[in-house]
Amino acid sequence: MSDLRVRFAPSPTGYLHIGGARTALFNYLLARKLGGTFILRIEDTDVERSTQESVDAILQAMDWLGLSYDEGPFYQTERFDLYKEKVQQLLDEGKAYKCYCSADELDTKREAAMARGDKPQYDGTCRDLDPRDDDAPYVIRFKSKKEGVTSFNDRIKGTISFNNQELDDMIIQRTDGTPTYNFVVVIDDAEMGLTLVVRGDDHVNNTPRQIQIYEALGYPVPEFAHVPMILGADKKRLSKRHGATSVMAYRDMGYLPEAMVNYLVRLGWSFGDEEIFSMDDLIEKFTLENVGRSAGVFNPEKLLWLNEHYIKTGDPQRLGELLGEYLTTLGHPSTDGIDLAEVVKTLQDRSKTMVEMAEKAVFYVTEAVEFDQSAADKFLTAEQVPVFEALVAQLEQCSFDAEGVEAAFKTVLEQTGLKFGKVGQPTRVALSGGTSAPGIYEVILVLGRERSIQRLKDAIARIG
RNA sequence: GCGCUCAUCGUCUAGCCUGGUCCAGGACACCGCCCUUUCACGGCGGCGACAGGGGUUCGAAUCCCCUUGGGCGUACCA
């Protein structure tokens, strides 16, 4: 047990995306490795854009990835009283002030400053205004330091410093009385006792402002670790334009959570030349020291490769259960008489995703085999009838196991004088409907004696 | 524009801190060969990078500076 306290603090304005998931994963890994506490906090102060559906989607995605939290979820919208209290404290101590500049005025000033080539900072118009209490609309700004330097030692990036002149007086409370992100994040991180804040490096620029607020409020400043961004193939920040960015979309596409976790962690973190990591490996091996400093490009191909790996090496029983779900989605909820774990064994080396596996498994569980037209034309011909009949005869009386089925084929080969290919491929088409399928003996075994024979008979009937 | 930051194969990266063992290693992708009852799996091999320029040094991917390029920020979003 350690006193490490970390958190994942998504804003519920959409599904859990690749980048957020990685941040959550890093936090989770650190907490588990060091026996610390992992807190989940929902940053829903933007009441306009936050939705319960998003919260549910995020929770579901974390659950899918196996990222359990120890405390929370906490909702910021339920903590407004606390924030109000802190704003008042700052106001009372003269560390914050009311600003009556309108949003329009501010926009105008900002544009003017830009046009002049100046920094688009708030000019401090209301900073030293005498207190007045008319009812004109106002926001509350934090009175930041005008001189000196604010710096911190980032656990990933090293020391980062900002001239305080670069920091203007940011708004901590909106006209409507709600607090803003940069303010509440400090209060919550402090009140929740965080010792380390691991987040995306798009927050680096916010950090000095936040540090000043910690200090103004008398809170200890936690450590920070800013994780590099994830980019798309064009090196632009990852977005929907780059394809699926929702974690759950990958589940729907047939990805396994362990593949996603493994991929995500390797994007930015490494452990020598190793590529494959289970969650337990990661909890043991993950360290911030081995997280890179530069942004990385999301590479779907490698994710696919990892998925392929985990499918190939996965437990057939478990994969079989998942396969059932994907088959249901494909419209084949009934798998009566077919052992899906056995199906999995025949398809593990041939599927990159569970969806692909399900598509390939359909012929096993379907009532009516769907024939590939050209395959049927080519292999289900009149001359096959006697061959199929001979095979049926053998299958009816052979011992139904790998050796027995193989012997059955051998006998047919001898009887007909044909080479394996001449018997195997037509049989494959008769049983599966197409020319590409698992080994023919495996298919027969998984299908079962009865069903295999029936399909051969159906093929004979089909040929006419 | 300004601020912060990053920079090794197409991509993820090892190496960089503690210069020489690196004419730079691994992985994905790609290409070729082999294996093979179809489709795959697999095995073997190949292609492919220290952004550029200055320094420092006997020696630099490794240290310093500049340039260039990328990312992020610059909201009454988070």
Side-chain angles (χ1 to χ4, degrees):
Chain A
M1 203 62 191
S2 80
D3 55 0
L4 177 78
R5 289 176 68 80
V6 294
R7 49 72 162 179
F8 174 51
S11 58
T13 54
Y15 48 72
L16 179 64
H17 54 84
I18 301 291
R22 186 179 58 155
T23 302
L25 175 62
F26 283 8
N27 275 288
Y28 170 84
L29 256 19
L30 247 21
R32 292 295 169 267
K33 179 191 178 77
L34 275 9
T37 305
F38 180 41
I39 301 164
L40 177 63
R41 184 175 73 228
I42 305 298
E43 311 237 310
D44 54 355
T45 55
D46 184 345
V47 186
E48 292 293 306
R49 301 195 301 150
S50 299
T51 66
Q52 186 57 44
E53 295 76 71
S54 295
V55 173
D56 295 341
I58 291 167
L59 259 28
Q60 187 190 21
M62 287 183 68
D63 184 56
W64 183 65
L65 291 172
L67 306 181
S68 56
Y69 40 89
D70 307 302
E71 294 180 15
F74 297 110
Y75 293 82
Q76 294 187 317
T77 43
E78 294 173 358
R79 299 160 65 82
F80 276 10
D81 288 348
L82 170 64
Y83 309 140
K84 271 267 197 273
E85 191 182 301
K86 296 298 175 182
V87 170
Q88 193 54 51
Q89 180 185 331
L90 252 24
L91 235 28
D92 293 345
E93 295 174 359
K95 293 172 178 171
Y97 60 91
K98 293 179 180 177
C99 169
Y100 297 88
C101 299
S102 72
D104 286 347
E105 280 170 4
L106 260 20
D107 285 344
T108 309
K109 282 180 182 175
R110 196 160 28 236
E111 281 165 28
M114 291 271 247
R116 249 182 285 123
D118 289 345
K119 297 185 241 296
Q121 287 192 148
Y122 174 61
D123 62 3
T125 303
C126 303
R127 182 174 168 114
D128 298 310
L129 234 46
D130 287 329
R132 54 158 151 153
D133 40 30
D134 54 24
D135 50 7
Y138 62 87
V139 298
I140 295 177
R141 287 181 184 274
F142 176 71
K143 194 178 279 185
S144 67
K145 294 177 185 164
K146 297 279 84 174
E147 288 161 11
V149 173
T150 297
S151 64
F152 61 98
N153 193 271
D154 192 275
R155 288 282 298 276
I156 291 173
K157 295 171 176 290
T159 301
I160 300 178
S161 305
F162 292 81
N163 275 319
N164 289 155
Q165 299 162 0
E166 301 296 332
L167 282 20
D168 60 359
D169 293 345
M170 66 172 181
I171 293 171
I172 58 177
Q173 185 179 96
R174 303 184 183 93
T175 305
D176 66 3
T178 58
T180 59
Y181 168 76
N182 277 116
F183 183 64
V184 298
V185 73
V186 169
I187 294 172
D188 283 339
D189 285 344
E191 294 287 338
M192 292 177 188
L194 291 236
T195 55
L196 170 66
V197 172
V198 181
R199 73 220 312 191
D201 78 3
D202 47 337
H203 287 287
V204 167
N205 294 280
N206 294 324
T207 307
R209 302 166 180 286
Q210 292 172 8
I211 288 174
Q212 288 196 21
I213 294 179
Y214 275 101
E215 291 169 344
L217 254 14
Y219 288 130
V221 180
E223 282 196 289
F224 294 96
H226 287 98
V227 181
M229 297 280 86
I230 296 177
L231 279 21
D234 57 0
K235 301 272 180 118
K236 297 291 182 201
R237 187 180 190 149
L238 195 63
S239 72
K240 322 87 226 153
R241 294 183 298 106
H242 300 103
T245 54
S246 158
V247 166
M248 290 314 266
Y250 283 89
R251 180 196 61 177
D252 296 343
M253 292 188 289
Y255 286 71
L256 263 17
E258 55 267 46
M260 180 58 81
V261 164
N262 198 150
Y263 178 72
L264 252 22
V265 80
R266 276 286 289 107
L267 215 194
W269 174 83
S270 61
F271 193 78
D273 286 339
E274 291 183 37
E275 294 288 349
I276 305 299
F277 301 93
S278 67
M279 194 65 103
D280 285 343
D281 289 335
L282 292 173
I283 290 171
E284 182 193 329
K285 296 170 176 171
F286 185 80
T287 61
L288 248 21
E289 285 63 46
N290 290 323
V291 173
R293 293 120 311 211
S294 51
V297 173
F298 177 67
N299 183 299
E301 249 96 54
K302 190 147 186 183
L303 206 208
L304 219 211
W305 172 73
L306 281 163
N307 201 53
E308 197 182 338
H309 168 81
Y310 283 106
I311 283 179
K312 207 175 301 174
T313 57
D315 170 46
Q317 202 61 45
R318 172 198 165 217
L319 259 27
E321 284 163 27
L322 285 175
L323 178 60
E325 294 172 21
Y326 285 99
L327 276 169
T328 298
T329 306
L330 286 184
H332 293 276
S334 166
T335 58
D336 77 303
I338 298 288
D339 184 340
L340 290 182
E342 292 303 313
V343 170
V344 167
K345 289 179 187 171
T346 71
L347 259 19
Q348 278 179 299
D349 282 345
R350 296 163 225 272
S351 314
K352 294 176 193 293
T353 69
M354 289 308 292
V355 166
E356 187 184 345
M357 186 186 286
E359 287 165 348
K360 288 183 164 147
V362 167
F363 84 84
Y364 281 119
V365 303
T366 189
E367 278 309 315
V369 176
E370 225 178 277
F371 290 93
D372 172 76
Q373 195 54 54
S374 65
D377 290 347
K378 185 172 177 190
F379 295 104
L380 299 186
T381 56
E383 59 182 0
Q384 293 306 330
V385 173
V387 180
F388 286 166
E389 284 172 342
L391 187 55
V392 167
Q394 289 303 314
L395 289 176
E396 277 172 339
Q397 43 102 48
C398 72
S399 76
F400 207 69
D401 50 39
E403 296 73 35
V405 173
E406 188 175 347
F409 267 80
K410 201 161 280 175
T411 303
V412 172
L413 256 36
E414 284 164 6
Q415 289 173 346
T416 60
L418 293 170
K419 291 215 265 186
F420 186 90
K422 290 291 180 188
V423 177
Q425 200 62 340
T427 303
R428 191 188 315 282
V429 175
L431 298 179
S432 76
T435 54
S436 64
I440 198 67
Y441 304 150
E442 299 174 85
V443 170
I444 289 172
L445 256 16
V446 173
L447 240 24
R449 192 198 301 267
E450 216 171 294
R451 206 179 303 227
S452 297
I453 290 172
Q454 188 55 51
R455 288 191 184 185
L456 284 168
K457 287 181 175 172
D458 288 347
I460 292 170
R462 187 177 197 277
I463 293 168

